[in-house]
Amino acid sequence: IFELAIPATVKLSYDQFGNFVVQKLLETGDSQDHSEILQQVKGHVMKLSQDKFGCRVMQKMLEALPSEEKADLTAEIQDEVVECIHDMNGNHVIQKVVEHLSPPDLGFVVAAVARRANEMAMHVYGCRIIQRLLEHCALEELVEVLDPIVSAAAKLSRDSHANYVIQCILERGRLEDKRHILEVITGSVLDFAKNKVSSNVVEKCFEISTIGSHAEDLVEERSA
């Protein structure tokens, strides 16, 4: 079965049912099978990532392949990260990239997001990528992403997508990020609290200033 299916990897990956066969091959195959599947998809990674069935195969490959082969797989989309993030299927692949590549190999994603951080934060799919980066990367690696977003906290807190990024920074960001956001929110707390979107950020401010990891360092901001 493996010998018959692997040469048809790309064709199967685009198929409504065939993609599940490729995923099963990745789950049950050995390292040699994985290498052969990788060779089959080379040259097709971007198109597969943007396909509603192919993207599932790409995600499974990022889960199943060893580190060096994951890096080999993503090499084809390094110059197309933004296009992939903006795509309704491709963004799921980039999320898996962030989740399954080692932090040193994620520089191309961080750089692409950093070049348009606020735009990404306000994008329906881009906001998800920033949240995954905050979950999986060291904060010192995200300075160029965090700084412009935190500086625009007042605007982004009211955005239907970016507010989730602000909340994530309140949970996982640097102490100085949390302090700045708290200062912004407390400066106009009634206005933020009465806004359907930013009211969620106000609630998160209450939470992180009382029970969050930096709660003891935020006593002054909490009393404000």
Side-chain angles (χ1 to χ4, degrees), residues 14-15 20 24 31 64 69 78 101 103 121 126 147 149-150 176 186 193 196 206 219:
Y14 285 120
D15 186 79
F20 291 109
K24 185 59 69 174
S31 59
E69 290 189 337
Q78 288 194 10
L101 262 66
D147 284 352
I149 292 175
V150 172
E176 59 264 36
T186 55
K196 179 180 179 181
F206 286 136
V219 173

Side-chain angles (χ1 to χ4, degrees), residues 43-90:
H44 304 275
V45 175
M46 185 63 179
K47 287 186 177 180
L48 284 168
S49 296
Q50 294 179 306
D51 182 78
K52 65 179 179 179
F53 303 125
C55 74
R56 300 175 185 177
V57 173
M58 293 298 99
Q59 291 175 73
K60 181 62 70 174
M61 291 185 74
L62 287 162
E63 294 174 0
L65 297 179
S67 297
E68 63 274 14
E69 290 189 337
K70 289 176 186 175
D72 198 13
L73 178 71
T74 57
E76 285 187 33
I77 58 175
Q78 288 194 10
D79 295 329
E80 310 291 343
V81 174
V82 173
E83 182 179 344
C84 219
I85 291 174
H86 286 172
D87 185 79
M88 65 183 298
N89 300 309

Side-chain angles (χ1 to χ4, degrees), residues 124-137:
V124 60
Y125 305 134
C127 68
R128 302 176 187 177
I129 305 303
I130 297 174
Q131 291 175 76
R132 297 296 87 74
L133 289 171
L134 280 161
E135 292 166 1
H136 294 278
C137 294

Side-chain angles (χ1 to χ4, degrees), residues 4-190:
L4 293 172
I6 289 177
T9 292
V10 173
K11 184 177 180 179
L12 290 171
S13 295
Y14 285 120
D15 186 79
Q16 179 179 2
F17 305 109
N19 79 90
F20 291 109
V21 173
V22 180
Q23 290 184 64
K24 185 59 69 174
L25 290 174
L26 288 162
E27 290 176 2
T28 59
D30 57 24
S31 59
Q32 180 61 37
D33 297 321
H34 290 168
S35 294
E36 290 180 14
I37 291 171
L38 175 61
Q39 292 304 313
Q40 290 291 323
V41 303
K42 282 186 175 180
H44 304 275
V45 175
M46 185 63 179
K47 287 186 177 180
L48 284 168
S49 296
Q50 294 179 306
D51 182 78
K52 65 179 179 179
F53 303 125
C55 74
R56 300 175 185 177
V57 173
M58 293 298 99
Q59 291 175 73
K60 181 62 70 174
M61 291 185 74
L62 287 162
E63 294 174 0
L65 297 179
S67 297
E68 63 274 14
E69 290 189 337
K70 289 176 186 175
D72 198 13
L73 178 71
T74 57
E76 285 187 33
I77 58 175
Q78 288 194 10
D79 295 329
E80 310 291 343
V81 174
V82 173
E83 182 179 344
C84 219
I85 291 174
H86 286 172
D87 185 79
M88 65 183 298
N89 300 309
N91 84 90
H92 293 291
V93 175
I94 300 299
Q95 290 186 65
K96 285 292 183 182
V97 167
V98 175
E99 291 170 5
H100 291 282
L101 262 66
S102 60
D105 294 326
L106 290 175
F108 71 98
V109 178
V110 175
V113 172
R115 283 192 289 270
R116 52 185 76 191
N118 290 353
E119 175 190 324
M120 284 291 181
M122 292 186 289
H123 191 274
V124 60
Y125 305 134
C127 68
R128 302 176 187 177
I129 305 303
I130 297 174
Q131 291 175 76
R132 297 296 87 74
L133 289 171
L134 280 161
E135 292 166 1
H136 294 278
C137 294
L139 293 173
E140 57 266 25
E141 296 171 345
L142 300 177
V143 173
E144 293 183 356
V145 174
L146 291 172
D147 284 352
I149 292 175
V150 172
S151 295
K155 175 184 177 181
L156 298 181
S157 293
R158 293 184 171 93
D159 183 82
S160 59
H161 304 303
N163 83 90
Y164 294 109
V165 175
I166 297 297
Q167 291 184 63
C168 193
I169 294 173
L170 284 168
E171 288 184 355
R172 300 175 178 275
R174 302 164 295 183
L175 177 58
E176 59 264 36
D177 298 330
K178 298 180 182 186
R179 279 187 169 143
H180 180 81
I181 295 169
L182 280 166
E183 288 171 4
V184 169
I185 298 300
T186 55
S188 303
V189 66
L190 294 181

